[in-house]
DNA sequence: TAGATTGTTAATCGATTAACAATC
DNA sequence: TAGATTGTTAATCGATTAACAATC
């Protein structure tokens, strides 16, 4: 179990199961069926059973899965039965929101270091953090043994920052910069670009009353990214 | 073309093609091959050609795709050859970062209205915005004919807000709340929960030196979400 | 012309679903 | 016991890749 030959699409669902199980636990459920878990996630019960069965036999016929035990198992499988320290680069509006976000600590993550290259920001306090000079990135990451990075820089800076973090030993990157990073294969990378998600939706939304559409037409929207 | 029977996975890649083509255009390229586009996105050339061929014949043998024309086509296909007004609910740290984000306007989106339920925030100016009372949500959305919503509330408020927005005519929702929303099938929903992405990465990161791991162990990480 | 690259087909690969025996 | 639900198999469904004729 916890093999590395699990289909990536299955790995992608495990955190959703964990999150949903946590809510169920807070509601007082001690047991949950694949059907109920699937209902809460709009995923089929068969899929959930198949996914979980890749890691062991966690359920019991007739009653379903024990919530607390399954949470423990998933946290072990996902390696969030510990706290992961992260380094944040880019203390703009988004970076500050991430520094303030309480949801990381509650689910196994903690921003330990924050960097920027703006002399006005370096040394500044942001909540419990002091913004570090990005020039110190490599040294600070190695000293703190950081393995996860969060990129909240402009797109134009992201590739170079990513390479430096990888050089300093980072193995996973969560990038909010709207650009695809070129990195060694063994590096885990996940992207969050809200515009990508919005455009996936507008594909399906289609036709609009032409009053609103005319208001700001085709060439009014430049291609600019950054 | 622009049919609704395009595989969702293909629709999901189109915005990536558009974004990458825009960068290529900024670099001065007038033409790009499927191979080069694929290289920049870590996607196979065959896949890109197959995806694009579902909407028409945009390329030319021997030379590739004309960048400007393909950008125009993709913007038309994705319906971002216009500006989409959006309503934001939840003006916390994340909401403020979204209100300040310049990347929306540059790529076809604009936050037109911002709502909160905190009396201290209502009426407050945030950049060019005045925070509205969420009690006015339905009326304001209908008046402004808003079809896209962004949820940046705590998870506990998200489902109710989503239902109210849908009631007011919203057809697509981008939710930053870490919870799966139960909504009618015809509503488009996309989710951004950074912890989900982080946990997908830590699955692969695995073993850690036990000094760091011991520092904050299993039961130190509660399940709490909100 | 020769080299490059598209659009498309067929083959391969992978993921989801349906169904059910086992069993709590 | 009877009803519910798991784990697993086989069948279905969908997505990706390889290959190549067409052609710029």
């Amino acid at each position: 179990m916890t093999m590395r030959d699990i289909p990536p699409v299955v790995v992608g669902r495990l955190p959703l199961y964990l999150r949903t199980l946590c809510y169920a636990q807070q509601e007082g459920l001690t047991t949950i069926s694949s059907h109920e878990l699937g209902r809460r996630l709009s995923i089929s019960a068969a899929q959930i059973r198949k996914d979980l069965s890749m890691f062991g036999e966690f359920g019991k016929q007739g009653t379903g899965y024990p919530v607390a035990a399954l949470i423990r198992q998933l946290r072990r499988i996902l390696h969030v039965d510990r706290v992961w320290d992260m380094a944040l680069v880019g203390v703009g509006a988004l970076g500050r929101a991430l520094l303030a976000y309480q949801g990381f600590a509650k689910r196994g993550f903690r921003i330990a270091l924050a960097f920027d290259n703006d002399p006005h920001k370096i040394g500044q306090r942001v909540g419990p953090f002091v913004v570090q000079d990005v020039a110190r990135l490599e040294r600070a990451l190695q000293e703190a043994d950081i393995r996860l990075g969060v990129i909240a820089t402009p797109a134009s800076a992201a590739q170079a920052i990513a390479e430096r973090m990888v050089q300093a030993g980072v193995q996973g990157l969560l990038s909010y910069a709207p650009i695809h990073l070129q990195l060694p294969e063994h590096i885990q990378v996940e992207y969050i670009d809200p515009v990508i998600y919005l455009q996936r939706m507008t594909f399906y939304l289609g036709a609009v009353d032409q009053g609103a559409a005319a208001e700001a037409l085709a060439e009014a929207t430049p291609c600019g990214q950054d």
Side-chain angles (χ1 to χ4, degrees), chain A:
Chain A
M1 34 177 145
T2 310
M3 304 291 177
R4 253 110 219 100
D5 56 347
I6 303 293
V9 66
V10 173
V11 176
R13 283 189 292 261
L14 298 181
L16 299 173
Y17 300 160
L18 175 56
R19 190 182 70 186
T20 304
L21 286 162
C22 286
Y23 286 125
Q25 187 174 54
Q26 284 171 359
E27 292 169 25
L29 273 71
T30 57
T31 246
I32 194 169
S33 68
S34 58
H35 181 85
E36 171 62 11
L37 189 50
R39 192 191 59 75
R40 292 175 179 232
L41 279 167
S42 305
I43 291 177
S44 78
Q47 180 141 88
I48 288 172
R49 292 200 302 279
K50 192 145 207 292
D51 286 353
L52 294 177
S53 74
M54 306 194 93
F55 300 94
E57 306 197 355
F58 305 125
K60 192 148 62 167
Q61 288 101 323
T63 64
Y65 298 89
V67 173
L70 188 49
I71 286 172
R72 263 195 310 275
Q73 290 291 336
L74 283 172
R75 292 182 64 215
R76 178 184 58 76
I77 292 165
L78 292 169
H79 304 118
V80 286
D81 49 357
R82 59 181 293 265
V83 174
W84 290 85
D85 279 342
M86 308 187 290
L88 170 74
V89 181
V91 187
L94 174 61
R96 283 167 206 272
L98 294 171
L99 287 172
Y101 183 50
Q102 300 302 305
F104 287 130
K106 291 177 182 160
R107 293 159 73 195
F109 299 89
R110 176 169 62 190
I111 297 179
L113 294 166
F115 299 89
D116 205 293
N117 68 349
D118 180 345
H120 295 101
K121 289 178 187 163
I122 295 166
Q124 217 181 67
R125 291 198 90 84
V126 178
F129 303 93
V130 176
V131 179
Q132 310 282 315
D133 187 342
V134 76
R136 290 196 65 252
L137 186 66
E138 287 84 348
R139 195 181 321 180
L141 258 54
Q142 279 158 359
E143 278 172 10
D145 197 29
I146 302 282
R147 308 211 300 154
L148 283 177
V150 181
I151 296 180
T153 67
S156 53
Q159 177 67 38
I161 291 295
E163 288 172 10
R164 290 177 58 192
M165 288 181 116
V166 168
Q167 195 58 38
V170 162
Q171 294 168 320
L173 281 168
L174 178 61
S175 176
Y176 286 84
I179 191 173
H180 179 85
L181 299 170
Q182 310 282 354
L183 294 170
E185 275 200 12
H186 67 278
I187 303 296
Q188 299 297 316
V189 192
E190 297 277 348
Y191 298 94
I192 293 181
D193 177 354
V195 175
I196 296 292
Y197 296 102
L198 291 168
Q199 291 180 342
R200 285 173 185 167
M201 296 196 286
T202 54
F203 173 86
Y204 296 102
L205 298 198
V208 194
D209 78 278
Q210 286 306 316
E215 181 195 330
L217 246 170
E219 301 312 311
T221 312
C223 227
Q225 302 274 350
D226 212 35

